[in-house]
Amino acid sequence: ERAHRARRPGRAVVIRTTLGHNPGMTDVSTLSGIGFRECDVRARRLNIEHPTVDGSGRFCRLEVEDLAPEAPGVYAWTVDDIVMYVGKAKELRQITQGYRMGRPYNDYTYVPPSQARNPSDPRARINCHINAVIVAGATVSWWWRELESENDAFAEEARLIDAWEPPWNRSRPSGLRAR
């Protein structure tokens, strides 16, 4: 099965409704400049239909390079080199390898039917966005940066969301504010 990593030649990709607002248009040069590492993302299966409460859309099964450590940190999903979502993790590896580790509910790369029925679940929502942009021909990558502690990850996530305003993040994390 051919991976959906490369953009289709000669095809313009317009994803207005999915990409939304990104005033800083933070790109991968910023990520690499502050120590993030990139992992390639491949679509193993697209347009998986699970019943959802809100009819939110279709899901995908992804394969992400297994490079992240089992350590705290922050991560970002990018579409065509633009940051779309920022998150934090107690264990970075669980974000993209949780299914293989026996922890599918911590994994953005696979959405089981029971998880798809929860419209407030960020993993289901982000997986649905990723499916839509890959189907439209965009390139998706996952970036991560290890930090010393969960508290550091929490503070850094808040700082990055405040600074970058990624369009797939619904709100700023509660508690700490970026300085």
Side-chain angles (χ1 to χ4, degrees):
E1 182 173 313
R2 186 184 158 139
H4 293 272
R5 172 123 171 90
R7 192 182 292 210
R8 294 181 190 125
R11 181 169 177 219
V13 177
V14 179
I15 314 168
R16 286 187 194 104
T17 59
T18 307
L19 294 181
H21 171 73
N22 195 350
M25 295 302 285
T26 304
D27 65 21
V28 297
S29 63
T30 301
L31 293 175
S32 60
I34 59 173
F36 275 76
R37 293 189 55 196
E38 180 183 17
C39 292
D40 285 336
V41 175
R42 295 176 189 223
R44 289 183 54 203
R45 190 167 167 216
L46 295 170
N47 293 326
I48 301 169
E49 293 189 34
H50 292 318
T52 60
V53 173
D54 62 356
S56 58
R58 296 180 172 160
F59 302 93
C60 57
R61 179 69 174 110
L62 304 171
E63 184 176 304
V64 178
E65 271 185 295
D66 190 5
L67 301 176
E70 291 184 28
V74 290
Y75 59 90
W77 288 100
T78 65
V79 175
D80 291 338
D81 295 337
I82 303 297
V83 174
M84 301 306 293
Y85 183 81
V86 171
K88 68 179 177 321
K90 183 191 297 189
E91 289 185 38
L92 285 163
R93 188 167 182 254
Q94 282 186 25
I95 300 302
T96 61
Q97 306 299 319
Y99 182 72
R100 290 176 37 195
M101 298 168 69
R103 303 174 193 153
Y105 287 92
N106 293 330
D107 190 338
Y108 282 80
T109 67
Y110 172 75
V111 177
S114 58
Q115 190 175 9
R117 286 190 290 272
N118 182 356
S120 65
D121 187 312
R123 286 164 178 81
R125 188 173 50 78
I126 299 306
N127 183 282
C128 189
H129 282 307
I130 291 170
N131 181 76
V133 297
I134 291 174
V135 166
T139 301
V140 174
S141 294
W142 185 70
W143 293 73
W144 59 272
R145 189 174 88 201
E146 184 177 352
L147 296 168
E148 290 291 317
S149 69
E150 284 182 66
N151 285 338
D152 290 344
F154 184 83
E156 184 66 352
E157 177 199 36
R159 188 185 74 74
L160 295 175
I161 291 171
D162 194 43
W164 297 344
E165 298 180 31
W168 292 353
N169 285 85
R170 286 189 170 167
S171 62
R172 290 187 178 99
S174 59
L176 293 177
R177 282 281 193 191
R179 293 182 189 166

